[in-house]
Amino acid sequence: MSFAPLASPTQPHNRSPANATEAVTHPDPYPYYTSLATRRPFGFDASLGLWVAAGPEALTEVLGHPACGVRPAGAVVPAALADGPAGEWFGALVRMNDGPAHSAMKPWLNAQLATLHADRDTLVRLHDASQAACADAYLARGDAPAARLDDFVFRQPIYGLAALLGVPASQWTEVHEDVRALVAAMAEAGKPSPRADVLAHGHRAAAALRLRAARWLDNDAASDTWLQEVARRAAGNDSIDFAALTANVVGLFTQTHDACAGLVANSVRRLARGTNGISASADPTDLGVAIKTVSDVIRFDPPVQNTRRFLHAPAVICEQALAPGDAILAVLASAPPSATPDGMAWTFGTGAHACPGRSPASTIAAVGVHAIRQTGEDLSSLASGATYHPLGNIRIARFSA
Ligand code: HEM
């Protein structure tokens, strides 16, 4: 089955997206996604050069299929990142591997992340991290509220995760800078002509973050923290490779950077618009408002809208014959939202590579949104626009021009 446009263009602002990657930045992509899932749950989109899977059945089949890998066969590391610390780091990530490299680390990592709890002390630490992110966003962007908000939504989740894991507060600013540089280099590596300076920054950041992670696990993290506990458990487990562990601790930060920014930013936009009857001016001391908004965004305006798979062997998928080298766009945002807030959340994926960070992501984002509400900014004028960062997979509301 191949694609014809799903709807004819009318005006630029309310024309339907041309394809599933354009939908990510569309003001309201959900009617398009519903139509895609109903009319063409699996088909080849010539405009993207990709097979596109939409709706729960096709997504489950693709993301659970043994012939579908997370990276093109024989190319775990993007060519532009090879031969440097960023490439070496990338090649050790559970997110980027299938087979033994994935199964050796993923269940263990899942179990470690499951020990993070949102108790009172954790919320206090997250609150402190959000205040620090507010202050640093001010230093970075000065007195321009929209630019400051754009900075905050990326910065706060990194400070929050650092606080949650036990990274000393004195390192949060530099960790954020390095994570940003590494994420930028990963994005750059996927472009036709990657800029050498962006890649070089990424290599430098990867080396610095690996070194930091090794020190955190050694003894540089505050005592009684997740990092210290993980180091202790890893030392008693022969199957855990220390180099792979440091890479994947850094990987937690890069996984958080864009996805959690989308969760915070889209929540702020939802509040600004008063969607679902929650007003931006509801009691700013009520953390429940932020928790409810984040939970609604996970279901109704999710940050991660699609992910990719690459055929490693010939396979019949959704009744279509695919060949090695074919690639599939799995449109997570096309699956209908769960009927209950704690039900299946497609934005966190499914199958062997499903996200192990749903719970910390939701907690970090809720505390971040709460912190923004407490600044007293008039969100309805600041954040109710309709623009998004120009990404093809993650939907992140953008507030400054
Ligand atoms: C809003 C926040 C987040 C969203 C929407 C999200 C979504 C996702 C998705 C869709 C995947 C699977 C990608 C695929 O199958 O191709 C994934 C993988 C992953 N996520 Fe998250 N994530 C979020 C935050 C986090 C956080 C906070 C952490 C860590 C604390 C985290 C850690 C990971 C890891 C380690 C993987 C790789 C798992 C694997 O490949 O087996 N994520 N995430």
Side-chain angles (χ1 to χ4, degrees):
M1 190 192 298
S2 74
F3 279 3
L6 278 166
S8 56
T10 50
Q11 294 166 12
H13 218 69
N14 50 22
R15 86 173 161 77
S16 186
N19 57 48
T21 60
E22 204 181 271
V24 175
T25 52
H26 190 275
D28 179 17
Y30 299 104
Y32 168 83
Y33 284 141
T34 304
S35 165
L36 188 64
T38 313
R39 294 171 51 193
R40 294 179 192 125
F42 195 77
F44 188 75
D45 185 334
S47 74
L48 296 171
L50 295 167
W51 291 87
V52 174
E57 288 84 14
L59 287 169
T60 305
E61 187 167 339
V62 168
L63 296 175
H65 202 291
C68 293
V70 285
R71 292 285 306 156
V76 168
V77 179
L81 280 189
D83 303 327
E88 199 208 317
W89 162 78
F90 191 100
L93 295 176
V94 289
R95 171 69 184 83
M96 303 304 171
N97 281 278
D98 295 290
H102 183 257
S103 52
M105 180 61 82
K106 175 71 183 291
W108 191 81
L109 202 57
N110 264 345
Q112 306 314 310
L113 287 170
T115 65
L116 288 167
H117 295 298
D119 53 25
R120 179 173 284 276
D121 285 354
T122 305
L123 291 179
V124 169
R125 281 209 306 281
L126 282 179
H127 176 76
D128 291 347
S130 300
Q131 294 307 313
C134 255
D136 282 357
Y138 201 97
L139 286 176
R141 300 298 182 95
D143 202 12
R148 231 166 40 222
L149 192 50
D150 279 327
D151 180 296
F152 178 86
V153 301
F154 286 94
R155 189 184 290 275
Q156 182 270 343
I158 299 302
Y159 287 32
L161 182 65
L164 207 54
L165 303 190
V167 175
S170 58
Q171 298 182 30
W172 295 346
T173 308
E174 286 171 11
V175 167
H176 166 255
E177 272 166 25
D178 285 340
V179 171
R180 197 174 52 165
L182 188 48
V183 169
M186 285 165 81
E188 194 70 14
K191 294 182 181 167
S193 311
R195 287 165 295 174
D197 60 328
V198 179
L199 298 176
H201 273 108
H203 285 303
R204 220 173 14 251
L209 286 165
R210 286 291 283 281
L211 189 61
R212 278 188 199 281
R215 288 188 181 143
W216 296 334
L217 293 165
D218 250 359
N219 55 18
D220 192 22
S223 56
D224 277 344
T225 58
W226 184 87
L227 283 161
Q228 289 285 294
E229 190 55 27
V230 160
R232 200 184 55 73
R233 289 197 209 111
N237 185 336
D238 287 345
S239 66
I240 299 303
D241 174 73
F242 190 73
L245 178 57
T246 61
N248 279 287
V249 167
V250 173
L252 299 180
F253 287 90
T254 50
Q255 286 297 131
T256 297
H257 188 267
D258 285 355
C260 246
L263 191 48
V264 175
N266 299 353
S267 297
V268 171
R269 173 148 295 158
R270 196 171 183 83
L271 272 172
R273 289 182 178 168
T275 316
N276 279 13
I278 302 181
S279 143
S281 58
D283 179 4
T285 63
D286 183 359
L287 177 62
V289 170
I291 292 172
K292 161 98 172 76
T293 308
V294 165
S295 146
D296 285 352
V297 164
I298 286 171
R299 291 157 73 205
F300 303 117
D301 196 18
V304 178
Q305 303 237 316
N306 64 61
T307 188
R308 292 180 191 222
R309 288 297 183 267
F310 303 87
L311 268 288
H312 288 190
V316 175
I317 297 180
C318 299
E319 299 173 12
Q320 302 287 324
L322 273 70
D326 282 350
I328 305 172
L329 190 75
V331 186
L332 301 170
S334 68
S338 155
T340 60
D342 55 356
M344 169 70 185
W346 287 94
T347 193
F348 292 101
T350 185
H353 284 274
C355 179
R358 175 175 177 177
S359 168
S362 306
T363 308
I364 292 168
V367 177
V369 171
H370 186 59
I372 293 169
R373 297 187 67 240
Q374 292 194 305
T375 60
E377 295 281 6
D378 176 9
L379 293 184
S380 49
S381 66
L382 193 60
S384 59
T387 49
Y388 292 83
H389 287 270
L391 300 172
N393 60 336
I394 306 190
R395 180 170 176 83
I396 309 174
R398 179 175 193 151
F399 307 111
S400 59

